Amino acid sequence: MAPRIAMVAGEASGDLLASHLIRAIKRHCPDAQFYGIGGPKMQAEGFDARWPSELLAVHGYVDALKRYRELSGIRKALLKDILRNRPSAFIGVDAPDFNLWLEGKVKSAGLPAVHFVSPSIWAWRGGRIKRIARSVTRMLCLFPFEPEIYDRAGVPVSYVGHPLADVFPLEPSRAAARERLGLSAKLRVVAMLPGSRQSEVRNLGETFIATARLMAERNPDTVFLVPLATRETRELFQEAMHRQEAGELPIRLLFGHAVDAMTAADVVLVASGTATLEAALLKRPMVITYRMGKWQYRLMKRMAYLPWVGLPNVLCGESIVPELLQDEATPERLADALEGWLADATAREQLEQRFTELHLALRQNTAEKAAAAILPYLDDNPQWRAAHRPA
């Protein structure tokens, strides 16, 4: 009997991770079947999406509370199907608040429950490790320092590396990226990434524009690339430009193309998040920033375990790039920090070397390693073992 694998992937990032994993598992088990909650990339690999992954995209606690009944109903319906049909395994891809509950129920029913992408228990809410230990059969980690945390808690764990490190070249070509974007090699290019969420663009948009104005005054041969992920965030940034009367500034808005923008740039100003890791893998000097509501910031700061929020600093275990957060994120301080990178060639070379070492540590052929960690659980399934017993 072909192995059937239930999966849940949340949002676009989970859809991409899961699609690579499905493809890797199918290289070993071509007849494997996958179903559950997923997106278009998973469906392109043959995934049966009973519900679309965008249903799990919630933005903040208020949105989560509003949609609790809907999401709870979907989760219970999927669990009922899993307990009735007993697939070979369940794989939860990211979305820990949704998946850990499911994984606990699945594990209690005697089925393997694998969680792909460790929650950030090293950054905050470390108490979740107890719930994770009860809920998962195996945790798959993207970062090399994470397995030790799970080993101490007695949770079976595998380090699989980060998929972006497999995709990004070790030596990105700035010249090729500038050619794609129609930029002269002589220009000074600053990439500005204010975030993918509307709230992030609202909080940072005007500050980024004021920073661009200061830098353009210091050096008129500067162009600013602002990649924006959605029509809504683009409109918010345009509104901020209108309020700032910034029509004369050399700001070029891009629809997507964040990787090209960062590759082409001499320096990057980036909101904290996955884009900071992308900038590191592209070997670009950066300044990390973030702003949120005052009460939310106080709460997050009180709950945080580490002195850094940016992944490059967390992964290197030291402040290798500046972080200017909340009240420190003024246009003057951001501009000065960006100019500091541009003025110091030696510092840029040293940073590039650190980022290359980080890239090599994260480059592990993630999908194949994740598949290798999951395959033994498929073999341990009695139906699967009986169907594949040697003649």
Side-chain angles (χ1 to χ4, degrees):
M1 182 181 295
R4 297 183 71 247
I5 301 168
M7 297 181 75
V8 171
E11 303 189 62
S13 58
D15 180 35
L16 179 61
L17 273 177
S19 69
H20 291 169
L21 179 58
I22 290 170
R23 192 181 313 142
I25 291 175
K26 281 189 171 183
R27 280 196 287 270
H28 299 274
C29 302
D31 54 352
Q33 300 171 8
F34 301 83
Y35 75 97
I37 301 175
K41 290 183 172 61
M42 295 167 69
Q43 292 175 61
E45 299 296 333
F47 182 81
D48 177 12
R50 309 286 175 83
W51 295 274
S53 59
E54 56 261 29
L55 281 175
L56 304 190
V58 295
H59 304 290
Y61 296 117
V62 174
D63 189 31
L65 287 170
K66 286 180 179 177
R67 300 187 54 217
Y68 175 79
R69 183 174 295 179
E70 174 196 6
L71 295 175
S72 179
I74 292 171
R75 189 166 58 180
K76 288 177 180 177
L78 179 57
L79 176 63
K80 185 177 180 181
D81 179 278
I82 291 170
L83 297 182
R84 182 176 65 248
N85 294 308
R86 299 191 67 80
S88 305
F90 174 83
I91 304 172
V93 183
D94 212 358
D97 291 329
F98 188 94
N99 277 325
L100 284 174
W101 181 91
L102 262 176
E103 288 157 1
K105 299 293 185 182
V106 168
K107 183 182 177 184
S108 296
L111 294 170
V114 179
H115 193 86
F116 187 16
V117 183
S118 166
S120 303
I121 55 174
W122 38 267
W124 67 305
R125 291 176 63 192
R128 287 178 291 177
I129 190 73
K130 297 177 181 177
R131 182 185 180 193
I132 291 168
R134 294 192 302 268
S135 301
V136 308
T137 309
R138 180 163 292 272
M139 176 65 70
L140 306 183
C141 295
L142 302 188
F143 300 127
F145 62 82
E146 293 176 317
E148 183 182 354
I149 300 170
Y150 290 100
D151 283 335
R152 288 200 303 266
V155 180
V157 61
S158 297
Y159 170 54
V160 299
H162 201 289
L164 287 177
D166 296 328
V167 175
F168 285 21
L170 280 173
E171 297 181 2
S173 173
R174 185 179 307 177
R178 290 197 176 196
E179 186 176 347
R180 285 192 296 272
L181 295 172
L183 296 169
S184 165
K186 297 179 181 180
L187 284 173
R188 194 173 74 153
V189 179
V190 180
M192 293 184 151
L193 287 84
S196 59
R197 295 186 175 96
Q198 294 181 46
S199 59
E200 292 170 330
V201 176
R202 287 193 186 96
N203 288 333
L204 290 171
E206 292 194 12
T207 299
F208 275 35
I209 294 163
T211 302
R213 176 172 276 119
L214 286 174
M215 295 186 74
E217 289 172 355
R218 296 173 185 178
N219 189 326
D221 292 328
T222 307
V223 63
F224 302 90
L225 304 179
V226 184
L228 296 159
T230 64
R231 178 176 55 81
E232 290 80 8
T233 53
R234 184 186 179 95
E235 289 175 354
L236 285 170
F237 200 89
Q238 287 174 325
E239 290 168 6
M241 288 184 65
H242 179 72
R243 288 193 299 273
Q244 295 277 73
E245 298 180 351
E248 83 289 353
L249 290 177
I251 294 176
R252 181 174 166 187
L253 303 186
L254 305 175
F255 192 78
H257 298 287
V259 170
D260 273 344
M262 287 189 283
T263 306
D266 296 295
V267 67
V268 177
L269 177 61
V270 56
S272 177
T274 303
T276 64
L277 179 61
E278 293 178 340
L281 294 174
L282 293 168
K283 322 301 184 301
R284 292 299 176 256
M286 74 187 84
V287 175
I288 298 171
T289 187
Y290 209 78
R291 273 188 180 160
M292 59 180 69
K294 289 185 178 180
W295 69 267
Q296 189 178 4
Y297 179 71
R298 290 195 190 102
L299 178 63
M300 293 289 287
K301 194 171 182 181
R302 191 177 298 123
M303 295 175 69
Y305 304 141
L306 298 175
W308 317 285
V309 301
L311 281 171
N313 292 333
V314 171
L315 289 166
C316 292
E318 60 178 296
S319 297
I320 63 169
V321 298
E323 295 185 1
L324 296 172
L325 312 175
Q326 210 66 4
D327 294 339
E328 293 183 346
T330 65
E332 293 78 12
R333 296 191 68 173
L334 293 172
D336 287 346
L338 292 165
E339 295 283 1
W341 282 122
L342 294 169
D344 194 337
T346 300
R348 295 198 304 272
E349 290 173 6
Q350 292 172 345
L351 184 70
E352 184 173 341
Q353 180 59 38
R354 291 294 301 275
F355 283 164
T356 299
E357 293 167 1
L358 175 61
H359 196 154
L360 290 169
L362 295 175
R363 179 176 273 193
Q364 298 288 322
N365 195 356
T366 295
E368 191 62 34
K369 276 202 168 182
I374 291 166
L375 288 171
Y377 295 104
L378 306 186
D379 291 339
D380 285 343
N381 182 280
Q383 294 175 331
W384 168 250
R385 187 168 61 242
H388 290 75
R389 183 178 295 122

